[in-house]
Amino acid sequence: MECALYEIASVVPEKDRVGRPRLFPTYLLLGYGVLARVYRSGARAGQELTDPVVWQVVRQTVQVALDEFRLDLPAPGDRPPDWPAFRYARDRYLTDPLVQDAMLEVFTELASSSPCPLPC
């Protein structure tokens, strides 16, 4: 299950039909959403991520996971995601019924299987 976030994020289309490219990989925005629930506030999650020590730990942890699972995903950049970026993602493409159905299908499959489906 430790690779579930990346698997769920993989079913979200990486490009919008119009507009500029996204600043943050989908897995980071989904992770931000999890932190917003943990901290009970999206603004508080953003505030925590702006701490340079916290963001460095997040970046290192993600890099280890990307290497360990051999995932071809962009590493987190120098800037952490923030509340406006998450809110835009949530309102723009994470609420698309087709995307939600795809994420739910992956989540259900991962939750009902014990081993990680990626080469862990």
Side-chain angles (χ1 to χ4, degrees):
M1 281 298 277
E2 60 268 357
C3 55
L5 181 69
Y6 305 106
E7 276 291 299
I8 293 168
S10 72
V11 298
V12 177
E14 281 300 315
K15 294 186 179 192
D16 291 323
R17 290 181 290 229
V18 296
R20 62 185 170 145
R22 297 179 191 159
L23 288 176
F24 304 104
T26 303
Y27 70 85
L28 274 182
L29 295 170
L30 291 177
Y32 188 99
V34 170
L35 287 176
R37 298 297 284 169
V38 168
Y39 287 115
R40 303 174 97 185
S41 163
R44 172 78 189 276
Q47 181 183 9
E48 293 292 330
L49 289 175
T50 60
D51 180 307
V53 174
V54 171
W55 184 238
Q56 186 60 29
V57 168
V58 169
R59 291 178 67 199
Q60 289 171 345
T61 303
V62 168
Q63 190 59 58
V64 167
L66 294 177
D67 293 343
E68 183 178 332
F69 300 133
R70 296 180 205 86
L71 300 174
D72 185 25
L73 295 170
D78 294 333
R79 180 177 152 217
D82 54 17
W83 175 243
F86 172 73
R87 191 177 62 220
Y88 178 82
R90 179 197 66 194
D91 296 346
R92 179 83 172 147
Y93 51 90
L94 295 178
T95 55
D96 179 317
L98 295 175
V99 171
Q100 287 183 338
D101 287 347
M103 290 191 306
L104 180 61
E105 184 176 325
V106 171
F107 174 80
T108 303
E109 179 181 320
L110 292 171
S112 62
S113 67
S114 53
C116 178
L118 293 174
C120 300

